[in-house]
Amino acid sequence: MNVLGIDIGGSGIKGAPVDTDAGELTEERLRIPTPAPSRPEAVEAAVRQIREHFAWTGPVGVTFPGVIVDGMVRTAANVDRSWIGVDAAALFGGAAVLNDADAAGVAEMRFGCGRGEKGTVLMLTFGTGIGSALFRDGVLVPNTELGHLELHGKDAEHRASSRAREEHDLSWEKWAERVQEYLEHVEMLFSPSLVVIGGGVSKKAEKFLPHITLRTRVVPAGLQNEAGIIGAALAARP
């Protein structure tokens, strides 16, 4: 079953058709820079451009970097705040819409490092912000938004996201110290059996994971940065 998956991020919007039985992209993905400002009409135009690029008429799944409840946007931390209250499912022509980290987590649990894992599994995506997907015995607890946990009086993602590493010109080792502190806090709260690190940094895990030490197993996402696209497609599978 092929479904078009589209992953909206703070810096880029990526999409590709996905074989939802195999968990693989069937064509090379198209990436479009996220419009600035990232208002609904501008992002919708980018999503439409991806659909047209693949001449797609079948089912579509779309991720969004915020809390999504019944297709409605409840929060918008890393995109324009005018998204709050928007019916994203209707805006995207009836697409299935879900939180971006939740989508990545669903894909990783089905096809990646979370496959077959029991107990509490936490996926964290490090990008423009920090997204989170929490699972208990394979069942998603949606919209956890753990990147907004407070550390040193501010959202954790302002200290430990991939964007924070770039903005503060941190070495991978120095950034790993911030990630370590954040992961220790999350570990204390949830006592997970596995933590999966996703987002663009998952492709460079050898640069920072050796500097991370937790009681919990910590692994890079098996699907790397394609997890969001695959998870979006899974959400829209009939």
Side-chain angles (χ1 to χ4, degrees):
M1 179 71 203
N2 285 3
V3 176
L4 182 63
I6 300 175
D7 187 15
I8 298 173
S11 60
I13 300 173
K14 309 176 291 290
V18 175
D19 179 339
T20 55
D21 290 322
E24 298 173 351
L25 276 55
T26 61
E27 297 186 48
E28 185 176 351
R29 72 177 191 176
L30 174 65
R31 182 186 188 278
I32 299 171
T34 301
S38 51
R39 296 193 180 104
E41 61 275 11
V43 173
E44 188 278 329
V47 167
R48 187 161 16 97
Q49 183 180 342
I50 292 174
R51 294 176 77 149
E52 292 170 354
H53 172 82
F54 293 106
W56 198 260
T57 57
V60 179
V62 180
T63 80
F64 184 83
V67 171
I68 300 291
V69 179
D70 297 328
M72 300 287 292
V73 178
R74 300 300 189 199
T75 68
N78 293 304
V79 289
D80 196 88
R81 290 187 60 79
S82 60
W83 274 98
I84 297 173
V86 168
D87 185 340
L91 180 69
F92 297 133
V97 183
L98 73 165
N99 173 267
D100 56 348
D102 285 350
V106 166
E108 200 65 26
M109 293 296 286
R110 179 79 64 87
F111 298 111
C113 292
R115 183 168 43 187
E117 288 285 339
K118 298 297 184 183
T120 301
V121 176
L122 180 62
M123 180 163 184
L124 297 167
T125 59
F126 290 80
T128 305
I130 299 175
S132 60
L134 180 65
F135 297 85
R136 179 64 186 173
D137 290 336
V139 178
L140 173 68
V141 180
N143 294 313
T144 47
E145 295 287 281
L146 300 180
H148 302 300
L149 289 171
E150 187 175 302
L151 282 179
H152 299 285
K154 61 177 67 175
D155 278 6
E157 66 180 25
H158 294 321
R159 283 184 51 80
S161 66
S162 181
R163 179 168 65 180
R165 182 185 66 81
E166 295 168 358
E167 287 180 347
H168 296 288
D169 196 26
L170 299 173
S171 67
W172 285 100
E173 188 170 356
K174 282 294 184 185
W175 181 66
E177 292 176 5
R178 296 188 177 198
V179 175
Q180 170 81 27
E181 180 185 41
Y182 170 66
L183 291 179
E184 286 176 354
H185 188 53
V186 172
E187 183 182 53
M188 178 271 294
L189 290 172
F190 295 99
S191 299
S193 55
L194 177 68
V195 173
V196 182
I197 303 296
V201 298
S202 60
K203 295 182 290 186
K204 301 176 181 178
E206 75 285 352
K207 294 182 181 293
F208 67 93
L209 270 191
H211 304 293
I212 302 294
T213 305
L214 293 182
R215 296 187 305 276
T216 306
R217 285 183 297 144
V218 183
V219 298
L223 302 176
Q224 297 187 345
N225 212 19
E226 294 181 352
I229 294 173
I230 294 169
L234 287 172
R237 177 174 171 152

PDB file of all heavy atoms in Angstrom, residues 149-178:
ATOM      1  N   LEU A 149       9.919  20.611  28.565  1.00  0.00           N
ATOM      2  CA  LEU A 149      10.276  20.495  29.982  1.00  0.00           C
ATOM      3  C   LEU A 149      11.246  21.612  30.341  1.00  0.00           C
ATOM      4  O   LEU A 149      12.077  22.013  29.526  1.00  0.00           O
ATOM      5  CB  LEU A 149      10.941  19.140  30.247  1.00  0.00           C
ATOM      6  CG  LEU A 149      10.041  17.903  30.191  1.00  0.00           C
ATOM      7  CD1 LEU A 149      10.889  16.644  30.261  1.00  0.00           C
ATOM      8  CD2 LEU A 149       9.029  17.926  31.333  1.00  0.00           C
ATOM      9  N   GLU A 150      11.156  22.108  31.565  1.00  0.00           N
ATOM     10  CA  GLU A 150      11.987  23.249  31.955  1.00  0.00           C
ATOM     11  C   GLU A 150      13.338  22.799  32.502  1.00  0.00           C
ATOM     12  O   GLU A 150      13.422  21.931  33.368  1.00  0.00           O
ATOM     13  CB  GLU A 150      11.254  24.081  33.016  1.00  0.00           C
ATOM     14  CG  GLU A 150      11.963  25.379  33.364  1.00  0.00           C
ATOM     15  CD  GLU A 150      11.173  26.248  34.324  1.00  0.00           C
ATOM     16  OE1 GLU A 150      10.018  26.604  33.989  1.00  0.00           O
ATOM     17  OE2 GLU A 150      11.703  26.547  35.405  1.00  0.00           O
ATOM     18  N   LEU A 151      14.392  23.382  31.955  1.00  0.00           N
ATOM     19  CA  LEU A 151      15.749  23.206  32.462  1.00  0.00           C
ATOM     20  C   LEU A 151      16.401  24.578  32.566  1.00  0.00           C
ATOM     21  O   LEU A 151      16.379  25.349  31.601  1.00  0.00           O
ATOM     22  CB  LEU A 151      16.581  22.322  31.519  1.00  0.00           C
ATOM     23  CG  LEU A 151      16.378  20.807  31.566  1.00  0.00           C
ATOM     24  CD1 LEU A 151      17.278  20.141  30.536  1.00  0.00           C
ATOM     25  CD2 LEU A 151      16.664  20.254  32.957  1.00  0.00           C
ATOM     26  N   HIS A 152      16.942  24.896  33.722  1.00  0.00           N
ATOM     27  CA  HIS A 152      17.592  26.193  33.935  1.00  0.00           C
ATOM     28  C   HIS A 152      16.662  27.360  33.588  1.00  0.00           C
ATOM     29  O   HIS A 152      17.087  28.365  33.011  1.00  0.00           O
ATOM     30  CB  HIS A 152      18.888  26.291  33.116  1.00  0.00           C
ATOM     31  CG  HIS A 152      19.904  25.247  33.474  1.00  0.00           C
ATOM     32  ND1 HIS A 152      20.661  25.298  34.627  1.00  0.00           N
ATOM     33  CD2 HIS A 152      20.277  24.112  32.831  1.00  0.00           C
ATOM     34  CE1 HIS A 152      21.463  24.245  34.668  1.00  0.00           C
ATOM     35  NE2 HIS A 152      21.236  23.501  33.601  1.00  0.00           N
ATOM     36  N   GLY A 153      15.385  27.190  33.915  1.00  0.00           N
ATOM     37  CA  GLY A 153      14.433  28.281  33.744  1.00  0.00           C
ATOM     38  C   GLY A 153      13.938  28.511  32.337  1.00  0.00           C
ATOM     39  O   GLY A 153      13.268  29.510  32.076  1.00  0.00           O
ATOM     40  N   LYS A 154      14.226  27.588  31.406  1.00  0.00           N
ATOM     41  CA  LYS A 154      13.748  27.758  30.029  1.00  0.00           C
ATOM     42  C   LYS A 154      13.415  26.393  29.440  1.00  0.00           C
ATOM     43  O   LYS A 154      13.779  25.355  30.006  1.00  0.00           O
ATOM     44  CB  LYS A 154      14.782  28.482  29.170  1.00  0.00           C
ATOM     45  CG  LYS A 154      16.123  27.760  29.052  1.00  0.00           C
ATOM     46  CD  LYS A 154      17.084  28.498  28.125  1.00  0.00           C
ATOM     47  CE  LYS A 154      17.511  29.828  28.700  1.00  0.00           C
ATOM     48  NZ  LYS A 154      18.534  30.496  27.871  1.00  0.00           N
ATOM     49  N   ASP A 155      12.721  26.413  28.297  1.00  0.00           N
ATOM     50  CA  ASP A 155      12.413  25.153  27.622  1.00  0.00           C
ATOM     51  C   ASP A 155      13.698  24.407  27.322  1.00  0.00           C
ATOM     52  O   ASP A 155      14.678  24.993  26.830  1.00  0.00           O
ATOM     53  CB  ASP A 155      11.682  25.422  26.305  1.00  0.00           C
ATOM     54  CG  ASP A 155      10.190  25.649  26.499  1.00  0.00           C
ATOM     55  OD1 ASP A 155       9.749  25.717  27.663  1.00  0.00           O
ATOM     56  OD2 ASP A 155       9.478  25.758  25.491  1.00  0.00           O
ATOM     57  N   ALA A 156      13.689  23.091  27.565  1.00  0.00           N
ATOM     58  CA  ALA A 156      14.882  22.277  27.318  1.00  0.00           C
ATOM     59  C   ALA A 156      15.363  22.405  25.881  1.00  0.00           C
ATOM     60  O   ALA A 156      16.577  22.407  25.618  1.00  0.00           O
ATOM     61  CB  ALA A 156      14.587  20.815  27.646  1.00  0.00           C
ATOM     62  N   GLU A 157      14.430  22.539  24.931  1.00  0.00           N
ATOM     63  CA  GLU A 157      14.849  22.589  23.531  1.00  0.00           C
ATOM     64  C   GLU A 157      15.655  23.848  23.213  1.00  0.00           C
ATOM     65  O   GLU A 157      16.414  23.864  22.244  1.00  0.00           O
ATOM     66  CB  GLU A 157      13.657  22.450  22.594  1.00  0.00           C
ATOM     67  CG  GLU A 157      12.660  23.582  22.617  1.00  0.00           C
ATOM     68  CD  GLU A 157      11.512  23.352  21.639  1.00  0.00           C
ATOM     69  OE1 GLU A 157      11.208  22.195  21.287  1.00  0.00           O
ATOM     70  OE2 GLU A 157      10.927  24.348  21.210  1.00  0.00           O
ATOM     71  N   HIS A 158      15.523  24.890  24.022  1.00  0.00           N
ATOM     72  CA  HIS A 158      16.329  26.090  23.783  1.00  0.00           C
ATOM     73  C   HIS A 158      17.788  25.868  24.164  1.00  0.00           C
ATOM     74  O   HIS A 158      18.664  26.624  23.741  1.00  0.00           O
ATOM     75  CB  HIS A 158      15.763  27.277  24.573  1.00  0.00           C
ATOM     76  CG  HIS A 158      14.403  27.697  24.111  1.00  0.00           C
ATOM     77  ND1 HIS A 158      14.034  27.713  22.779  1.00  0.00           N
ATOM     78  CD2 HIS A 158      13.306  28.118  24.803  1.00  0.00           C
ATOM     79  CE1 HIS A 158      12.779  28.124  22.675  1.00  0.00           C
ATOM     80  NE2 HIS A 158      12.309  28.368  23.890  1.00  0.00           N
ATOM     81  N   ARG A 159      18.054  24.825  24.957  1.00  0.00           N
ATOM     82  CA  ARG A 159      19.425  24.500  25.348  1.00  0.00           C
ATOM     83  C   ARG A 159      20.000  23.321  24.570  1.00  0.00           C
ATOM     84  O   ARG A 159      21.197  23.301  24.264  1.00  0.00           O
ATOM     85  CB  ARG A 159      19.488  24.148  26.845  1.00  0.00           C
ATOM     86  CG  ARG A 159      19.429  25.329  27.778  1.00  0.00           C
ATOM     87  CD  ARG A 159      19.591  24.892  29.218  1.00  0.00           C
ATOM     88  NE  ARG A 159      20.751  24.037  29.464  1.00  0.00           N
ATOM     89  CZ  ARG A 159      21.996  24.497  29.604  1.00  0.00           C
ATOM     90  NH1 ARG A 159      22.238  25.790  29.518  1.00  0.00           N
ATOM     91  NH2 ARG A 159      22.987  23.659  29.841  1.00  0.00           N
ATOM     92  N   ALA A 160      19.143  22.338  24.266  1.00  0.00           N
ATOM     93  CA  ALA A 160      19.682  21.056  23.809  1.00  0.00           C
ATOM     94  C   ALA A 160      19.234  20.622  22.419  1.00  0.00           C
ATOM     95  O   ALA A 160      19.588  19.528  21.981  1.00  0.00           O
ATOM     96  CB  ALA A 160      19.317  19.963  24.816  1.00  0.00           C
ATOM     97  N   SER A 161      18.476  21.443  21.699  1.00  0.00           N
ATOM     98  CA  SER A 161      18.086  21.066  20.342  1.00  0.00           C
ATOM     99  C   SER A 161      19.280  21.170  19.393  1.00  0.00           C
ATOM    100  O   SER A 161      20.326  21.739  19.733  1.00  0.00           O
ATOM    101  CB  SER A 161      16.967  21.977  19.838  1.00  0.00           C
ATOM    102  OG  SER A 161      17.445  23.306  19.696  1.00  0.00           O
ATOM    103  N   SER A 162      19.107  20.622  18.207  1.00  0.00           N
ATOM    104  CA  SER A 162      20.154  20.742  17.192  1.00  0.00           C
ATOM    105  C   SER A 162      20.353  22.206  16.793  1.00  0.00           C
ATOM    106  O   SER A 162      21.481  22.652  16.560  1.00  0.00           O
ATOM    107  CB  SER A 162      19.780  19.906  15.961  1.00  0.00           C
ATOM    108  OG  SER A 162      20.778  19.980  14.977  1.00  0.00           O
ATOM    109  N   ARG A 163      19.254  22.943  16.752  1.00  0.00           N
ATOM    110  CA  ARG A 163      19.364  24.375  16.424  1.00  0.00           C
ATOM    111  C   ARG A 163      20.172  25.115  17.490  1.00  0.00           C
ATOM    112  O   ARG A 163      20.983  25.994  17.170  1.00  0.00           O
ATOM    113  CB  ARG A 163      17.976  25.016  16.286  1.00  0.00           C
ATOM    114  CG  ARG A 163      18.054  26.513  15.980  1.00  0.00           C
ATOM    115  CD  ARG A 163      16.722  27.097  15.570  1.00  0.00           C
ATOM    116  NE  ARG A 163      15.738  27.053  16.622  1.00  0.00           N
ATOM    117  CZ  ARG A 163      14.492  27.515  16.487  1.00  0.00           C
ATOM    118  NH1 ARG A 163      14.107  28.015  15.317  1.00  0.00           N
ATOM    119  NH2 ARG A 163      13.635  27.454  17.484  1.00  0.00           N
ATOM    120  N   ALA A 164      19.987  24.763  18.761  1.00  0.00           N
ATOM    121  CA  ALA A 164      20.758  25.395  19.832  1.00  0.00           C
ATOM    122  C   ALA A 164      22.252  25.115  19.663  1.00  0.00           C
ATOM    123  O   ALA A 164      23.089  25.988  19.919  1.00  0.00           O
ATOM    124  CB  ALA A 164      20.279  24.894  21.188  1.00  0.00           C
ATOM    125  N   ARG A 165      22.591  23.896  19.246  1.00  0.00           N
ATOM    126  CA  ARG A 165      24.001  23.567  19.010  1.00  0.00           C
ATOM    127  C   ARG A 165      24.594  24.486  17.946  1.00  0.00           C
ATOM    128  O   ARG A 165      25.716  25.004  18.091  1.00  0.00           O
ATOM    129  CB  ARG A 165      24.140  22.109  18.566  1.00  0.00           C
ATOM    130  CG  ARG A 165      25.582  21.662  18.331  1.00  0.00           C
ATOM    131  CD  ARG A 165      25.655  20.254  17.783  1.00  0.00           C
ATOM    132  NE  ARG A 165      25.096  20.146  16.446  1.00  0.00           N
ATOM    133  CZ  ARG A 165      25.762  20.480  15.334  1.00  0.00           C
ATOM    134  NH1 ARG A 165      27.004  20.941  15.408  1.00  0.00           N
ATOM    135  NH2 ARG A 165      25.182  20.365  14.158  1.00  0.00           N
ATOM    136  N   GLU A 166      23.820  24.700  16.874  1.00  0.00           N
ATOM    137  CA  GLU A 166      24.310  25.548  15.784  1.00  0.00           C
ATOM    138  C   GLU A 166      24.358  27.013  16.195  1.00  0.00           C
ATOM    139  O   GLU A 166      25.341  27.712  15.909  1.00  0.00           O
ATOM    140  CB  GLU A 166      23.410  25.362  14.557  1.00  0.00           C
ATOM    141  CG  GLU A 166      23.474  23.947  13.982  1.00  0.00           C
ATOM    142  CD  GLU A 166      22.378  23.677  12.972  1.00  0.00           C
ATOM    143  OE1 GLU A 166      21.537  24.584  12.747  1.00  0.00           O
ATOM    144  OE2 GLU A 166      22.338  22.565  12.417  1.00  0.00           O
ATOM    145  N   GLU A 167      23.315  27.477  16.871  1.00  0.00           N
ATOM    146  CA  GLU A 167      23.255  28.895  17.245  1.00  0.00           C
ATOM    147  C   GLU A 167      24.356  29.272  18.233  1.00  0.00           C
ATOM    148  O   GLU A 167      24.872  30.384  18.192  1.00  0.00           O
ATOM    149  CB  GLU A 167      21.882  29.224  17.837  1.00  0.00           C
ATOM    150  CG  GLU A 167      20.764  29.264  16.807  1.00  0.00           C
ATOM    151  CD  GLU A 167      19.419  29.595  17.427  1.00  0.00           C
ATOM    152  OE1 GLU A 167      19.300  29.545  18.668  1.00  0.00           O
ATOM    153  OE2 GLU A 167      18.475  29.902  16.660  1.00  0.00           O
ATOM    154  N   HIS A 168      24.706  28.351  19.121  1.00  0.00           N
ATOM    155  CA  HIS A 168      25.731  28.635  20.125  1.00  0.00           C
ATOM    156  C   HIS A 168      27.110  28.123  19.702  1.00  0.00           C
ATOM    157  O   HIS A 168      28.063  28.199  20.482  1.00  0.00           O
ATOM    158  CB  HIS A 168      25.325  28.019  21.470  1.00  0.00           C
ATOM    159  CG  HIS A 168      24.074  28.601  22.047  1.00  0.00           C
ATOM    160  ND1 HIS A 168      24.008  29.877  22.585  1.00  0.00           N
ATOM    161  CD2 HIS A 168      22.809  28.109  22.140  1.00  0.00           C
ATOM    162  CE1 HIS A 168      22.778  30.126  22.999  1.00  0.00           C
ATOM    163  NE2 HIS A 168      22.029  29.065  22.728  1.00  0.00           N
ATOM    164  N   ASP A 169      27.175  27.624  18.458  1.00  0.00           N
ATOM    165  CA  ASP A 169      28.448  27.151  17.895  1.00  0.00           C
ATOM    166  C   ASP A 169      29.135  26.175  18.845  1.00  0.00           C
ATOM    167  O   ASP A 169      30.334  26.291  19.138  1.00  0.00           O
ATOM    168  CB  ASP A 169      29.365  28.346  17.590  1.00  0.00           C
ATOM    169  CG  ASP A 169      30.519  27.961  16.661  1.00  0.00           C
ATOM    170  OD1 ASP A 169      30.358  26.987  15.896  1.00  0.00           O
ATOM    171  OD2 ASP A 169      31.576  28.617  16.714  1.00  0.00           O
ATOM    172  N   LEU A 170      28.376  25.195  19.319  1.00  0.00           N
ATOM    173  CA  LEU A 170      28.899  24.216  20.260  1.00  0.00           C
ATOM    174  C   LEU A 170      29.569  23.061  19.520  1.00  0.00           C
ATOM    175  O   LEU A 170      29.088  22.625  18.469  1.00  0.00           O
ATOM    176  CB  LEU A 170      27.765  23.642  21.120  1.00  0.00           C
ATOM    177  CG  LEU A 170      26.990  24.637  21.997  1.00  0.00           C
ATOM    178  CD1 LEU A 170      25.802  23.920  22.643  1.00  0.00           C
ATOM    179  CD2 LEU A 170      27.896  25.234  23.057  1.00  0.00           C
ATOM    180  N   SER A 171      30.653  22.570  20.076  1.00  0.00           N
ATOM    181  CA  SER A 171      31.234  21.338  19.557  1.00  0.00           C
ATOM    182  C   SER A 171      30.262  20.201  19.858  1.00  0.00           C
ATOM    183  O   SER A 171      29.380  20.320  20.718  1.00  0.00           O
ATOM    184  CB  SER A 171      32.576  21.047  20.223  1.00  0.00           C
ATOM    185  OG  SER A 171      32.376  20.738  21.601  1.00  0.00           O
ATOM    186  N   TRP A 172      30.423  19.067  19.169  1.00  0.00           N
ATOM    187  CA  TRP A 172      29.547  17.936  19.436  1.00  0.00           C
ATOM    188  C   TRP A 172      29.676  17.477  20.883  1.00  0.00           C
ATOM    189  O   TRP A 172      28.690  17.108  21.527  1.00  0.00           O
ATOM    190  CB  TRP A 172      29.868  16.790  18.476  1.00  0.00           C
ATOM    191  CG  TRP A 172      29.374  17.030  17.091  1.00  0.00           C
ATOM    192  CD1 TRP A 172      30.102  17.457  16.023  1.00  0.00           C
ATOM    193  CD2 TRP A 172      28.032  16.885  16.616  1.00  0.00           C
ATOM    194  NE1 TRP A 172      29.298  17.583  14.908  1.00  0.00           N
ATOM    195  CE2 TRP A 172      28.026  17.233  15.235  1.00  0.00           C
ATOM    196  CE3 TRP A 172      26.838  16.481  17.211  1.00  0.00           C
ATOM    197  CZ2 TRP A 172      26.869  17.190  14.467  1.00  0.00           C
ATOM    198  CZ3 TRP A 172      25.680  16.432  16.438  1.00  0.00           C
ATOM    199  CH2 TRP A 172      25.703  16.780  15.085  1.00  0.00           C
ATOM    200  N   GLU A 173      30.890  17.527  21.416  1.00  0.00           N
ATOM    201  CA  GLU A 173      31.104  17.079  22.784  1.00  0.00           C
ATOM    202  C   GLU A 173      30.428  18.019  23.780  1.00  0.00           C
ATOM    203  O   GLU A 173      29.794  17.570  24.745  1.00  0.00           O
ATOM    204  CB  GLU A 173      32.601  16.985  23.085  1.00  0.00           C
ATOM    205  CG  GLU A 173      32.913  16.353  24.423  1.00  0.00           C
ATOM    206  CD  GLU A 173      34.388  16.040  24.604  1.00  0.00           C
ATOM    207  OE1 GLU A 173      35.167  16.239  23.650  1.00  0.00           O
ATOM    208  OE2 GLU A 173      34.748  15.591  25.711  1.00  0.00           O
ATOM    209  N   LYS A 174      30.528  19.325  23.550  1.00  0.00           N
ATOM    210  CA  LYS A 174      29.875  20.292  24.435  1.00  0.00           C
ATOM    211  C   LYS A 174      28.352  20.173  24.342  1.00  0.00           C
ATOM    212  O   LYS A 174      27.643  20.272  25.350  1.00  0.00           O
ATOM    213  CB  LYS A 174      30.323  21.713  24.091  1.00  0.00           C
ATOM    214  CG  LYS A 174      31.703  22.076  24.622  1.00  0.00           C
ATOM    215  CD  LYS A 174      31.683  22.118  26.144  1.00  0.00           C
ATOM    216  CE  LYS A 174      33.015  22.571  26.715  1.00  0.00           C
ATOM    217  NZ  LYS A 174      33.011  22.498  28.209  1.00  0.00           N
ATOM    218  N   TRP A 175      27.866  19.972  23.137  1.00  0.00           N
ATOM    219  CA  TRP A 175      26.421  19.791  22.964  1.00  0.00           C
ATOM    220  C   TRP A 175      25.961  18.524  23.672  1.00  0.00           C
ATOM    221  O   TRP A 175      24.896  18.502  24.305  1.00  0.00           O
ATOM    222  CB  TRP A 175      26.070  19.741  21.485  1.00  0.00           C
ATOM    223  CG  TRP A 175      24.606  19.578  21.212  1.00  0.00           C
ATOM    224  CD1 TRP A 175      23.615  20.469  21.496  1.00  0.00           C
ATOM    225  CD2 TRP A 175      23.966  18.442  20.613  1.00  0.00           C
ATOM    226  NE1 TRP A 175      22.389  19.968  21.099  1.00  0.00           N
ATOM    227  CE2 TRP A 175      22.582  18.727  20.555  1.00  0.00           C
ATOM    228  CE3 TRP A 175      24.437  17.232  20.108  1.00  0.00           C
ATOM    229  CZ2 TRP A 175      21.663  17.835  20.008  1.00  0.00           C
ATOM    230  CZ3 TRP A 175      23.510  16.331  19.567  1.00  0.00           C
ATOM    231  CH2 TRP A 175      22.142  16.642  19.522  1.00  0.00           C
ATOM    232  N   ALA A 176      26.767  17.476  23.594  1.00  0.00           N
ATOM    233  CA  ALA A 176      26.424  16.214  24.253  1.00  0.00           C
ATOM    234  C   ALA A 176      26.253  16.402  25.751  1.00  0.00           C
ATOM    235  O   ALA A 176      25.429  15.718  26.381  1.00  0.00           O
ATOM    236  CB  ALA A 176      27.482  15.156  23.965  1.00  0.00           C
ATOM    237  N   GLU A 177      26.998  17.333  26.356  1.00  0.00           N
ATOM    238  CA  GLU A 177      26.841  17.596  27.787  1.00  0.00           C
ATOM    239  C   GLU A 177      25.438  18.122  28.079  1.00  0.00           C
ATOM    240  O   GLU A 177      24.818  17.756  29.090  1.00  0.00           O
ATOM    241  CB  GLU A 177      27.892  18.605  28.255  1.00  0.00           C
ATOM    242  CG  GLU A 177      29.317  18.074  28.228  1.00  0.00           C
ATOM    243  CD  GLU A 177      30.336  19.137  28.601  1.00  0.00           C
ATOM    244  OE1 GLU A 177      29.909  20.267  28.966  1.00  0.00           O
ATOM    245  OE2 GLU A 177      31.541  18.846  28.529  1.00  0.00           O
ATOM    246  N   ARG A 178      24.929  18.974  27.203  1.00  0.00           N
ATOM    247  CA  ARG A 178      23.570  19.499  27.381  1.00  0.00           C
ATOM    248  C   ARG A 178      22.526  18.406  27.153  1.00  0.00           C
ATOM    249  O   ARG A 178      21.521  18.327  27.876  1.00  0.00           O
ATOM    250  CB  ARG A 178      23.324  20.662  26.423  1.00  0.00           C
ATOM    251  CG  ARG A 178      24.205  21.871  26.677  1.00  0.00           C
ATOM    252  CD  ARG A 178      23.770  23.036  25.808  1.00  0.00           C
ATOM    253  NE  ARG A 178      24.553  24.237  26.064  1.00  0.00           N
ATOM    254  CZ  ARG A 178      24.165  25.457  25.707  1.00  0.00           C
ATOM    255  NH1 ARG A 178      23.013  25.628  25.078  1.00  0.00           N
ATOM    256  NH2 ARG A 178      24.921  26.504  25.982  1.00  0.00           N
TER     257      ARG A 178
END
